[in-house]
Amino acid sequence: MDIAVLGSTGTIGRSLSGKLEESGHTVRRLSRSAGVDARSGRGLDAALEGAEVVVDAVNVQAIRGDRAVSFFTRAAQNIARSAERAGARRVVCVSIAGAARPEVRGAFGYYRGKAAQERAYQDARIPATIIRSTQWFELAEQMAAQASIGPLAVLPTMRMAPLSAHRAARHIVPEVVREDVAGDRILAIRGPEEMTTAQLVRRILAARGEIGGRRLRVVTELPYLGRGLAGGGLIPRDGIVDDLTLGAWLDGGGAAG
């Protein structure tokens, strides 16, 4: 199958592209560095021409709600229109579990943007599969960096059911290549354990002695992103449950996905 992956240089886009290629599919690895800009539409039509399926793994670090909504809406609309013009059968969008819930998207601009992205694909004429993934273990370094000053980290209280990005990609591959999808489809992926951001960071610190090069001595959390995130709004109520625990991942069990 000929598959175009937009955002192929990001964490999930890179993992997904690799797993699709391992499965014998032809993958077009597309990104802004390759001359394809989803937000402006630059290079999209030519890059998607003839692709059978288009995967949207595009991401941006946008905390402000207006910027996030604008970016994700425009990118999704451009991708959907270009994919339709290119003759693709459908689009697969990698989204975030919980983003569509009012108590989640109302508290944090980034999730508001992801909710807008989902709506754009649901309103598009081309069939779309939306995959809502919980946070990945690999994002703990980024979360700790954003919330730390020196040896202190004050993380937002976010209850989650995280999993490895490699495992998330492994579950996404069958959805990308399946042949029996006639219309829109939504599914979720989560890990086997529930924990907060602080618990995730503390466990990685205990196992490795550092996280992202930081040797944090105090890791605490406060619900400054709202009750929706603190109370488990990011955890899917149903969907695919991966079986790789954080402990097994830290022991190297998820190194190859």
Side-chain angles (χ1 to χ4, degrees):
M1 185 177 287
D2 188 340
I3 302 163
V5 178
L6 289 147
S8 62
T9 58
T11 301
I12 194 67
R14 186 168 54 250
S15 292
L16 182 56
S17 295
K19 292 191 180 301
L20 286 165
E21 287 168 343
E22 289 170 9
S23 300
H25 299 283
T26 298
V27 177
R28 307 181 189 189
R29 295 183 180 236
L30 307 176
S31 64
R32 281 188 297 175
S33 60
V36 182
D37 188 334
R39 187 179 187 278
S40 69
R42 178 173 57 88
L44 264 180
D45 283 354
L48 302 186
E49 182 63 37
E52 297 173 75
V53 176
V54 176
V55 178
D56 179 356
V58 174
N59 199 23
V60 65
Q61 294 303 316
I63 295 176
R64 283 181 48 187
D66 55 350
R67 180 169 181 259
V69 169
S70 173
F71 175 89
F72 284 113
T73 299
R74 290 186 62 181
Q77 290 172 342
N78 286 337
I79 291 168
R81 291 165 185 160
S82 286
E84 183 182 9
R85 287 193 293 266
R89 284 181 286 181
R90 59 195 176 93
V91 174
V92 176
C93 170
V94 182
S95 187
I96 297 177
R101 297 178 186 173
E103 68 272 23
V104 170
R105 69 173 184 263
F108 189 32
Y110 178 78
Y111 294 116
R112 197 147 65 246
K114 295 298 287 185
Q117 178 190 45
E118 292 188 10
R119 289 194 300 272
Y121 280 119
Q122 290 167 336
D123 292 340
R125 294 193 299 182
I126 188 170
T129 295
I130 296 172
I131 300 177
R132 295 168 172 168
S133 172
T134 52
Q135 287 70 23
W136 310 313
F137 298 145
E138 292 86 346
L139 293 179
E141 290 186 7
Q142 178 183 318
M143 289 189 286
Q146 291 174 337
S148 64
I149 301 177
L152 168 67
V154 183
L155 293 150
T157 304
M158 298 167 60
R159 190 150 194 87
M160 62 183 82
L163 76 164
S164 161
H166 291 296
R167 286 298 188 103
R170 191 178 75 174
H171 292 299
I172 293 170
V173 165
E175 291 299 323
V176 174
V177 303
R178 65 184 297 165
E179 303 277 0
D180 59 343
V181 180
D184 290 347
R185 175 175 166 80
I186 298 175
L187 71 154
I189 305 170
R190 56 161 289 172
E193 305 168 296
E194 295 187 16
M195 64 191 75
T196 66
T197 47
Q199 290 168 336
L200 172 62
V201 169
R202 288 188 195 118
R203 288 180 63 181
I204 294 175
L205 277 170
R208 297 177 175 172
E210 56 85 27
I211 182 165
R214 291 172 170 79
R215 296 185 178 277
L216 299 173
R217 292 198 294 269
V218 178
V219 177
T220 186
E221 61 186 344
L222 293 171
Y224 55 81
L225 290 183
R227 295 181 180 179
L229 276 69
L234 298 175
I235 300 175
R237 298 189 178 99
D238 52 28
I240 299 169
V241 181
D242 188 64
D243 61 0
L244 181 69
T245 65
L246 175 58
W249 180 77
L250 287 168
D251 289 338

